[in-house]
Amino acid sequence: MDNETGRGLTAKPLTMALRYLVLTLSCLLAFGGYLVFDLCATLQDPIMEQLGISNTQYSLLYVVYAWTNCLMVLFAGVLIDKTTNRMCALIFCAIACVGQTVLTIGAQVGVFPLMVIGRTIFGAGLGSICVAQNTLTNTYFRDVNLATAFAATLTVSRVGSVTNFLLSPYLYQWWGSIAAVFWYGTGMTLLSLISAVFLFFVDRDTERKGKIQSANRRSRQIKWRDVLQFPAIFWVICLICSFYYINVFAMMAVLPDFLQERNGYSPQTASMISSTVYFCAIPCVPFFGRITDYLGYRLHTLLIAVAVT
């Protein structure tokens, strides 16, 4: 292990117990957010009926999230580089939790514009959480099992998505209230916020012991024109991710309702079928992450994944 802290590498060895403690807490950062991300999709018909909104109005719950997310993650990266991973993770989890709370209150009182505002705030937090999550993972695993660690964070996020699709329709059937289900989602974002609090103290203690360096101590001064120096392969990967999310996330937003109307499935069955996209990722992502760490060939793996998708 390289001990040259001037280049941002660890000055003292990190134990595997510490690495996996941080990884566990990091995985939970986005769990609640991704559980509630598609909560609206599983409750589309009840939301439209109880609030008296159209399909176009319903789609705003995803549009405002997407646009806010696009704009906020750029500033999130700069903020992390200028401060610390742990502080930003805590701030972003708090923003996501506040956003989900506002959305839930909007559902409780039947005010759709308030739900849109809550979804906008939520979008400012969730995407930024992923940025902080990735930088934390890189800090603790850059020299060992990095792909496996990234796979673990992604897998737990997918577990959150699957949990939503499998459980939320039944919760609505049992409770008969969209607000009650949204409060359950708010509780899950609170769980992520609590994980961020624990992670803050663990990361701070680790840095004080000289085992890691925060991003603001590793990075030079950031300038916006630096993006012009990014290599071409970076932009190609960005395009790949963009096209992937355009296809998958846009489909997942309406898939449960589409299956109900097209095939006459019950809400529970439609949500269960919708979850298979994420459910298949749960075993595959950590498996291929481990294989990538062991064999390398990252670009070959990327090519195969894109072709299969």
Side-chain angles (χ1 to χ4, degrees):
M1 181 180 297
D2 196 328
N3 292 326
E4 298 180 33
T5 58
R7 291 185 296 179
L9 300 182
T10 55
K12 297 179 182 179
L14 290 169
T15 64
M16 293 307 296
L18 175 61
R19 293 179 196 268
Y20 284 109
L21 171 61
V22 171
L23 180 61
T24 300
L25 294 172
S26 180
C27 286
L28 292 174
L29 292 179
F31 173 80
Y34 276 102
L35 188 147
V36 302
F37 171 71
D38 280 317
L39 193 56
C40 295
T42 59
L43 300 176
Q44 180 177 350
D45 282 345
I47 290 173
M48 294 174 60
E49 291 173 5
Q50 294 185 26
L51 277 78
I53 61 174
S54 64
N55 275 307
T56 302
Q57 290 174 301
Y58 163 79
S59 68
L60 279 176
L61 295 173
Y62 282 89
V63 171
V64 296
Y65 167 88
W67 278 108
T68 308
N69 200 348
C70 288
L71 297 174
M72 185 62 187
V73 291
L74 295 175
F75 294 99
V78 174
L79 184 63
I80 290 172
D81 283 332
K82 290 182 177 295
T83 57
T84 62
N85 299 329
R86 57 181 177 269
M87 178 58 71
C88 290
L90 185 59
I91 292 172
F92 300 147
C93 283
I95 291 174
C97 187
V98 169
Q100 180 62 25
T101 302
V102 172
L103 183 144
T104 302
I105 293 174
Q108 183 81 56
V109 299
V111 178
F112 180 70
L114 189 58
M115 293 181 66
V116 174
I117 293 172
R119 191 72 169 177
T120 304
I121 300 171
F122 177 76
L126 182 57
S128 303
I129 289 173
C130 296
V131 178
Q133 185 184 57
N134 289 338
T135 54
L136 276 164
T137 303
N138 182 67
T139 298
Y140 284 86
F141 286 88
R142 67 163 59 88
D143 56 346
V144 57
N145 298 335
L146 181 60
T148 303
F150 278 130
T153 59
L154 182 58
T155 298
V156 174
S157 297
R158 295 288 78 84
V159 170
S161 300
V162 170
T163 301
N164 165 58
F165 279 107
L166 294 182
L167 186 58
S168 296
Y170 289 100
L171 293 180
Y172 176 73
Q173 184 181 31
W174 296 333
W175 296 338
S177 168
I178 59 173
V181 183
F182 278 128
W183 279 119
Y184 150 75
T186 302
M188 294 297 101
T189 60
L190 181 60
L191 172 64
S192 293
L193 178 58
I194 293 171
S195 300
V197 172
F198 279 105
L199 183 59
F200 178 91
F201 290 107
V202 171
D203 186 72
R204 187 184 66 176
D205 183 64
T206 304
E207 184 177 13
R208 285 178 175 178
K209 292 178 179 178
K211 295 182 178 181
I212 64 168
Q213 284 186 315
S214 295
N216 64 326
R217 297 185 181 181
R218 298 197 308 267
S219 302
R220 62 177 176 83
Q221 185 177 1
I222 302 299
K223 299 178 181 178
W224 285 107
R225 65 172 177 267
D226 289 344
V227 298
L228 300 177
Q229 301 176 14
F230 293 169
I233 191 172
F234 170 83
W235 297 110
V236 172
I237 293 175
C238 286
L239 286 174
I240 291 172
C241 293
S242 297
F243 288 134
Y244 173 82
Y245 283 127
I246 287 171
N247 283 282
V248 175
F249 281 178
M251 177 190 71
M252 297 303 293
V254 297
L255 184 57
D257 187 64
F258 173 80
L259 292 174
Q260 292 176 59
E261 293 185 3
R262 176 72 179 271
N263 299 318
Y265 292 133
S266 67
Q268 293 80 7
T269 302
S271 292
M272 182 178 65
I273 295 173
S274 300
S275 71
T276 55
V277 175
Y278 296 139
F279 187 80
C280 291
I282 292 175
C284 292
V285 170
F287 172 76
F288 285 106
R290 188 61 179 169
I291 291 296
T292 302
D293 274 329
Y294 183 74
L295 297 178
Y297 298 107
R298 287 172 171 77
L299 291 179
H300 297 78
T301 304
L302 176 63
L303 178 61
I304 294 172
V306 172
V308 171
T309 302

